[in-house]
Coordinates of all heavy atoms in Angstrom, one line a residue:
V1433 N 99.8 127.7 106.4 CA 98.9 126.5 106.2 C 99.5 125.4 105.5 O 99.4 124.2 105.8 CB 97.6 127.0 105.5 CG1 96.7 125.8 105.2 CG2 96.8 128.0 106.4
T1434 N 100.3 125.7 104.4 CA 100.9 124.7 103.6 C 101.9 123.9 104.4 O 102.0 122.7 104.3 CB 101.7 125.4 102.4 OG1 100.7 126.1 101.6 CG2 102.4 124.4 101.6
L1435 N 102.7 124.6 105.3 CA 103.7 123.9 106.2 C 103.0 122.9 107.1 O 103.4 121.8 107.2 CB 104.4 125.0 107.0 CG 105.5 124.4 108.0 CD1 106.7 124.0 107.2 CD2 105.9 125.5 109.0
L1436 N 101.8 123.3 107.6 CA 101.1 122.4 108.6 C 100.5 121.3 107.8 O 100.5 120.1 108.3 CB 100.1 123.2 109.3 CG 100.6 124.3 110.3 CD1 99.5 125.1 110.9 CD2 101.5 123.6 111.4
V1437 N 100.0 121.5 106.6 CA 99.4 120.4 105.8 C 100.5 119.4 105.5 O 100.3 118.2 105.6 CB 98.8 121.0 104.5 CG1 98.5 119.8 103.6 CG2 97.6 121.8 104.8
M1438 N 101.7 119.9 105.1 CA 102.8 119.0 104.8 C 103.2 118.2 106.1 O 103.4 117.0 106.0 CB 104.0 119.8 104.4 CG 105.3 119.0 104.0 SD 105.0 117.9 102.6 CE 106.7 117.4 102.2
A1439 N 103.3 118.9 107.2 CA 103.6 118.2 108.5 C 102.7 117.1 108.8 O 103.1 116.0 109.3 CB 103.7 119.2 109.6
L1440 N 101.4 117.3 108.6 CA 100.4 116.3 109.0 C 100.4 115.1 108.0 O 100.3 114.0 108.4 CB 99.0 117.0 109.0 CG 98.7 117.9 110.1 CD1 97.4 118.6 109.9 CD2 98.7 117.2 111.4
L1441 N 100.6 115.4 106.7 CA 100.5 114.4 105.7 C 101.8 113.5 105.6 O 101.7 112.3 105.6 CB 100.2 115.0 104.3 CG 98.8 115.4 104.1 CD1 98.6 115.9 102.7 CD2 97.8 114.2 104.3
H1442 N 103.0 114.2 105.5 CA 104.2 113.4 105.3 C 104.8 112.9 106.6 O 104.8 111.6 106.8 CB 105.2 114.2 104.5 CG 106.4 113.4 104.1 ND1 106.5 112.0 104.2 CD2 107.6 113.8 103.6 CE1 107.7 111.6 103.7 NE2 108.4 112.7 103.4
P1443 N 105.4 113.7 107.4 CA 106.1 113.1 108.6 C 105.2 112.3 109.5 O 105.5 111.3 110.0 CB 106.7 114.4 109.3 CG 106.8 115.4 108.3 CD 105.7 115.2 107.3
L1444 N 103.9 112.9 109.7 CA 103.0 112.2 110.6 C 102.3 111.0 110.0 O 102.5 109.9 110.4 CB 102.0 113.2 111.1 CG 101.1 112.7 112.2 CD1 101.9 112.2 113.4 CD2 100.1 113.8 112.6
F1445 N 101.4 111.3 109.0 CA 100.6 110.2 108.5 C 101.3 109.2 107.6 O 101.3 108.0 107.8 CB 99.4 110.8 107.8 CG 98.5 109.7 107.2 CD1 97.7 109.0 108.1 CD2 98.4 109.5 105.9 CE1 96.8 108.0 107.6 CE2 97.6 108.5 105.3 CZ 96.8 107.8 106.2
I1446 N 101.9 109.7 106.5 CA 102.5 108.8 105.5 C 103.7 108.0 106.1 O 103.8 106.8 106.0 CB 102.9 109.6 104.3 CG1 101.7 110.2 103.5 CG2 103.7 108.7 103.3 CD1 102.1 111.0 102.3
T1447 N 104.6 108.8 106.7 CA 105.8 108.1 107.2 C 105.5 107.1 108.3 O 106.0 106.0 108.4 CB 106.8 109.2 107.8 OG1 107.2 110.0 106.7 CG2 108.0 108.5 108.4
T1448 N 104.6 107.5 109.3 CA 104.3 106.7 110.4 C 103.5 105.4 109.9 O 103.8 104.3 110.4 CB 103.4 107.4 111.4 OG1 104.1 108.6 111.9 CG2 103.0 106.5 112.5
S1449 N 102.7 105.6 108.9 CA 101.9 104.4 108.4 C 102.9 103.4 107.7 O 102.8 102.2 107.9 CB 100.9 104.9 107.3 OG 99.9 105.7 107.9
I1450 N 103.8 103.9 106.9 CA 104.7 103.0 106.2 C 105.6 102.3 107.3 O 105.9 101.1 107.2 CB 105.6 103.8 105.2 CG1 104.7 104.3 104.1 CG2 106.6 102.8 104.6 CD1 105.5 105.2 103.1
K1451 N 106.1 103.1 108.2 CA 106.9 102.5 109.3 C 106.3 101.3 109.9 O 106.9 100.2 110.1 CB 107.2 103.5 110.4 CG 108.4 104.4 110.2 CD 108.4 105.4 111.4 CE 109.6 106.4 111.3 NZ 110.9 105.7 111.5
L1452 N 105.0 101.5 110.3 CA 104.3 100.4 111.1 C 104.0 99.2 110.2 O 104.1 98.1 110.6 CB 103.0 101.0 111.6 CG 103.2 102.1 112.7 CD1 101.8 102.6 113.1 CD2 104.0 101.6 113.9
L1453 N 103.7 99.5 108.9 CA 103.4 98.4 108.0 C 104.6 97.7 107.4 O 104.6 96.5 107.2 CB 102.5 98.9 106.8 CG 101.1 99.4 107.2 CD1 100.5 100.1 106.0 CD2 100.3 98.3 107.7
W1454 N 105.7 98.4 107.2 CA 106.9 97.8 106.5 C 107.7 97.0 107.5 O 108.2 95.9 107.0 CB 107.7 99.0 105.9 CG 108.4 98.6 104.6 CD1 109.7 98.3 104.4 CD2 107.7 98.5 103.4 NE1 109.9 98.0 103.1 CE2 108.7 98.1 102.4 CE3 106.4 98.6 103.0 CZ2 108.4 97.9 101.1 CZ3 106.1 98.4 101.6 CH2 107.1 98.1 100.7
G1455 N 107.9 97.4 108.7 CA 108.5 96.5 109.7 C 110.0 96.3 109.4 O 110.5 95.2 109.8
R1456 N 110.7 97.3 108.9 CA 112.2 97.1 108.7 C 112.9 97.4 110.0 O 112.7 98.5 110.6 CB 112.7 98.0 107.6 CG 114.1 97.8 107.2 CD 114.6 98.8 106.2 NE 115.8 98.3 105.5 CZ 116.5 99.0 104.6 NH1 116.2 100.3 104.4 NH2 117.6 98.5 104.0
Q1457 N 113.8 96.5 110.4 CA 114.5 96.7 111.7 C 115.7 97.7 111.5 O 116.3 97.7 110.5 CB 115.1 95.4 112.2 CG 114.0 94.4 112.7 CD 114.6 93.2 113.4 OE1 115.6 92.7 113.1 NE2 113.9 92.8 114.5
R1458 N 115.8 98.5 112.5 CA 116.9 99.4 112.6 C 118.3 98.7 112.7 O 118.3 97.5 113.2 CB 116.8 100.4 113.7 CG 115.5 101.2 113.7 CD 115.5 102.1 114.9 NE 114.2 102.8 115.1 CZ 113.8 103.9 114.6 NH1 114.7 104.5 113.7 NH2 112.7 104.5 114.8
F1459 N 119.3 99.3 112.2 CA 120.7 98.7 112.3 C 121.0 98.4 113.8 O 121.6 97.3 114.0 CB 121.7 99.7 111.8 CG 123.1 99.1 111.8 CD1 123.6 98.2 110.9 CD2 124.0 99.5 112.8 CE1 124.8 97.7 111.0 CE2 125.3 99.0 112.9 CZ 125.7 98.1 112.0
V1460 N 120.7 99.2 114.7 CA 121.0 98.9 116.1 C 120.2 97.8 116.7 O 120.6 97.2 117.7 CB 120.8 100.2 117.0 CG1 121.8 101.3 116.6 CG2 119.4 100.7 116.9

């Protein structure tokens, strides 16, 4: 359960939200 909670909160929700809001362009 802990693994799945982490997966939902960090890689999915937190990271995705920051990505979309921050708008930093990749090197490529």
